Amino acid sequence: MDIKNDVQQQFGKSAASYVSSTIHKEGKDLQKLLQIVTISGEEELLDIATGGGHTANAFASVVKKITAVDLTAEMLRAAENFIRGNGYQNVDFIQADAENLPFATEAFEIVTCRIAPHHFPNVNRFVEEAYRVLKANGQFLLDDNVVPEDDDFDLFYNTIEKWRDYSHFRAWRKTEWLRMLETAGFEISEWHRFEKTFRFEPWCNRMNLPHSEKEKLSEYILSASQRVKDKFRIVIENNQVVSFQGEAIVLKALKR
């Protein structure tokens, strides 16, 4: 439970920055979610760990109703202000845990979760819950940062993410996601890989990382092997980390 308290503390103080975050509100991955979903306009959609509300906001005009949930009350308030400010009234906001959803079995036609599961301490439970609340033939749209299959690359990325954000639990490998989803009963319909460029300063500042820790994190990245620097396209100028490249997957899985 300490991990979930960490999530609430981190995102409670960072709520506004997530609503305004460019990488969250303008990512190509968000458009891909809209492209791959099958919609009639009569669906009820559950957006898990809604964060700044960008996914719920994007879908609000194309489905009948959205239930947006988040573990953190401050994030829900920020998301509600954002979505209501855009004129949408068909979105409900409920504080809830992704691993223990307070909804009936087979309650939704669509479940979405974007840029959040790397915070979940029991991601298998989250996948099982997403499967449970979906109706038969329902669509699960998953979007999250992932790590390469290589052990060294996996360790590097998860280390810097945890350093920047103590509420980070784990970014999973693509193969791990496929296994978790299929083990839960889902069929993978399609998936896409996205490259994501993280600019070091905004990336740190979004989580209010103290200057001293930012300096230590920068030194850690600067000291990485050339192989790691090449893999993550780390850009260094005047002995300062400017940016690095990560990756994400967007996929659609069906409940059969």
Side-chain angles (χ1 to χ4, degrees):
M1 291 300 102
D2 288 344
I3 294 171
K4 294 184 180 182
N5 289 336
D6 288 346
V7 170
Q8 289 175 312
Q9 290 177 12
Q10 275 288 56
F11 288 94
K13 64 186 180 184
S14 305
S17 66
Y18 267 78
V19 173
S20 61
S21 166
T22 300
I23 204 167
H24 287 79
K25 69 181 181 181
E26 297 178 4
K28 293 180 181 178
D29 55 321
L30 187 54
Q31 296 307 312
K32 181 59 70 174
L33 289 173
L34 288 165
Q35 290 170 12
I36 66 177
V37 71
T38 301
I39 289 178
S40 69
E42 293 302 310
E43 292 83 6
E44 293 196 16
L45 182 152
L46 173 65
D47 186 34
I48 299 175
T50 196
H54 302 103
T55 305
N57 182 75
F59 278 89
S61 64
V62 295
V63 299
K64 181 179 180 180
K65 180 182 177 182
I66 294 177
T67 301
V69 302
D70 202 278
L71 186 65
T72 306
E74 292 89 342
M75 288 299 292
L76 279 175
R77 286 195 290 271
E80 183 170 7
N81 289 337
F82 169 59
I83 292 171
R84 294 280 187 262
N86 289 329
Y88 297 119
Q89 300 298 321
N90 61 333
V91 184
D92 292 336
F93 300 86
I94 297 175
Q95 188 171 4
D97 185 343
E99 299 169 5
N100 187 22
L101 296 169
F103 306 111
T105 297
E106 299 189 354
F108 301 93
E109 284 85 9
I110 302 170
V111 171
T112 59
C113 189
R114 177 174 179 257
I115 321 181
H118 56 272
H119 293 286
F120 302 162
N122 189 343
V123 73
N124 282 290
R125 180 63 181 159
F126 151 68
V127 172
E128 291 167 359
E129 280 289 87
Y131 187 88
R132 179 183 66 80
V133 301
L134 270 174
K135 294 181 179 179
N137 299 311
Q139 302 168 80
F140 179 35
L141 304 179
L142 174 71
D143 176 354
D144 202 18
N145 303 332
V146 293
V147 291
E149 301 295 311
D150 180 278
D151 290 348
D152 291 339
F153 297 155
D154 179 333
L155 178 62
F156 174 80
Y157 182 80
N158 276 300
T159 297
I160 64 173
E161 277 284 15
K162 185 72 175 179
W163 197 323
R164 174 193 76 122
D165 174 10
Y166 57 79
S167 71
H168 174 87
F169 184 77
R170 170 162 172 72
W172 300 90
R173 302 180 184 187
K174 294 176 285 294
T175 54
E176 290 173 326
W177 271 120
L178 297 177
R179 179 175 179 79
M180 284 188 281
L181 289 166
E182 291 194 351
T183 299
F186 283 108
E187 287 184 3
I188 310 300
S189 174
E190 62 179 290
W191 71 279
H192 305 267
R193 176 185 178 274
F194 281 86
E195 295 179 344
K196 301 177 71 170
T197 298
F198 297 95
R199 297 195 61 80
F200 184 74
E201 286 290 330
W203 178 70
C204 290
N205 293 343
R206 192 157 58 244
M207 300 315 296
N208 300 301
L209 191 67
H211 179 74
S212 59
E213 286 303 306
K214 189 190 301 184
E215 289 294 308
K216 292 176 185 176
L217 178 53
S218 177
E219 290 172 9
Y220 176 81
I221 295 173
L222 290 171
S223 68
S225 69
Q226 192 59 48
R227 181 170 176 265
V228 166
K229 288 175 179 173
D230 291 343
K231 173 61 180 176
F232 290 96
R233 316 315 194 255
I234 298 171
V235 175
I236 299 169
E237 294 178 2
N238 300 319
N239 206 37
Q240 295 291 320
V241 179
V242 176
S243 66
F244 65 92
Q245 191 174 95
E247 62 179 325
I249 59 167
V250 170
L251 62 79
K252 178 167 76 171
L254 304 176
K255 180 176 180 176
R256 297 301 196 191

